[in-house]
Amino acid sequence: MAGHSQFKNIMHRKGKQDAMRSKMFGKLAREITVAAKLGTPDPAMNPRLRLAITAARAENVPKDNIERAIKKALGNEGENYDEIRYEGYGPGGVAVIVEALTDNRNRAASDIRSYFTKSGGNLGETGSVSFMFDRVGVIEYDAKVASDDAMLEAAIEAGAEDVASSEDGHEVFASPETFREVAKALEAKFGEARKAALVWKPQNTITVDDETGEKLFKLLDLLNEHDDVQNVYANFEVSDALAAKMSA
C-alpha cells in the first residue's frame, strides 16, 4: 500500500506542473467523450461519465471544456477511440500496466513498445502482469474532510474493503461491484470526492535502488506524456530521498 500511494502522489505532483496541465486536460476530456459515447450523456445515468467528470473537476478542468467534451460525443464528432491495456516489465523487473485510449492502434503499440525497450524493459502480452494487481475502486478525500476514525467508520458502513489514511488524505477501497454504492454513500456523508476511479492496485511492491528508480521514472514519464496513455500503474517502492528528488 505504501508503495502504491507513494508512487501515486509523486506522479500527481509531477502532473500538477504547468507543462503537463494542457496535456492532462486533453486526456480527461477524451475520457469524458468516450464515456458519453458509450453510454448516455447524462452523468446521473452513466457511472463512467460521472467518474470522468469527477476526475476532471479534481484537476480544475474548466466547466466549458467538460461540456464541450460531452457535446463532441453527442454530435459524433472526432475520432473513435479504442480502449487498450498494455502490460510489461520495466527496469528491475517492475510490473507496469498502461491504459490507453487511441485512434491508431499501430502507432500506440509501436510507441509504447519502444519506450519499454529503450528503458531496458519489455512489453508483454495482455495478462502477463495484471495477475499481480487487483482491480479495485478507490475513492479519495482530503485529510481535513474527516478524522481517520470517522472515515474508517463511514467506509465500513458503506461496504468498503479497506481504508488508508495519511497526511495526504484518505483512500477508500472497494470491489468493482460495490464501488458505485460505496462512492455514493461517502458522497452523501462527506460531499464530492477529490477522486473516484477504478484502478490497478499492486498486491505486493518491489523495493528498487535509486539508479533503477530513476530509470523507472523516466519510463513512466515517457508513458504519461504520450497523448494516447490515460493511466499508468506499477508495483514498486523507492527511497524517500529519490521520491523527494523526483517530485521537486
Side-chain angles (χ1 to χ4, degrees):
M1 272 309 306
H4 169 69
S5 299
Q6 180 190 56
F7 166 67
K8 175 184 66 63
N9 289 328
I10 289 166
M11 299 313 291
H12 184 65
R13 284 196 293 272
K14 288 177 76 64
K16 285 293 189 183
Q17 295 169 3
D18 289 341
M20 294 285 286
R21 187 164 288 279
S22 63
K23 191 176 285 286
M24 188 191 294
F25 281 10
K27 291 183 181 193
L28 291 164
R30 183 180 292 193
E31 170 61 20
I32 289 170
T33 299
V34 169
K37 262 189 180 180
L38 291 174
T40 166
D42 179 4
M45 304 296 290
N46 183 335
R48 179 168 172 175
L49 177 58
R50 183 172 168 77
L51 291 177
I53 291 172
T54 297
R57 283 181 185 152
E59 295 298 340
N60 298 314
V61 174
K63 191 179 176 185
D64 288 351
N65 292 35
I66 294 172
E67 290 175 354
R68 198 178 305 126
I70 295 173
K71 281 177 184 169
K72 189 183 274 193
L74 289 173
N76 288 318
E77 296 173 33
E79 307 83 357
N80 286 315
Y81 296 106
D82 291 324
E83 292 183 77
I84 310 172
R85 187 173 82 238
Y86 300 97
E87 301 181 26
Y89 290 94
V94 167
V96 182
I97 294 178
V98 181
E99 292 180 330
L101 284 174
T102 183
D103 59 350
N104 187 324
R105 280 174 171 263
N106 292 335
R107 178 194 65 219
S110 173
D111 289 350
I112 290 168
R113 181 173 285 106
S114 74
Y115 294 164
F116 273 87
T117 304
K118 283 176 190 169
S119 75
N122 62 283
L123 193 62
E125 298 294 318
T126 301
S128 60
V129 305
S130 55
F131 68 91
M132 291 184 273
F133 294 74
D134 292 322
R135 187 64 166 162
V136 300
V138 60
I139 303 122
E140 290 182 18
Y141 280 95
D142 290 335
K144 65 185 178 186
V145 165
S147 68
D148 293 2
D149 287 344
M151 183 58 72
L152 178 61
E153 188 180 327
I156 291 170
E157 198 175 298
E161 293 186 340
D162 193 15
V163 182
S165 293
S166 70
E167 60 185 23
D168 292 323
H170 306 284
E171 291 177 298
V172 178
F173 296 95
S175 70
E177 295 75 27
T178 62
F179 170 55
R180 214 179 141 203
E181 292 308 311
V182 172
K184 200 183 287 184
L186 293 177
E187 184 175 332
K189 196 170 185 71
F190 302 116
E192 192 170 278
R194 72 181 182 195
K195 176 183 176 180
L198 285 168
V199 302
W200 291 96
K201 177 185 168 191
Q203 293 164 359
N204 297 291
T205 53
I206 300 170
T207 301
V208 298
D209 59 37
D210 286 2
E211 186 182 347
T212 304
E214 290 214 25
K215 289 177 185 173
L216 274 163
F217 279 117
K218 282 178 185 170
L219 168 61
L220 298 174
D221 281 346
L222 278 172
L223 290 167
N224 275 298
E225 285 166 13
H226 196 286
D227 286 341
D228 292 342
V229 173
Q230 294 293 105
N231 300 295
V232 182
Y233 305 94
N235 67 342
F236 73 102
E237 290 190 56
V238 295
S239 68
D240 290 342
L242 181 60
K245 178 183 174 184
M246 299 308 291
S247 62

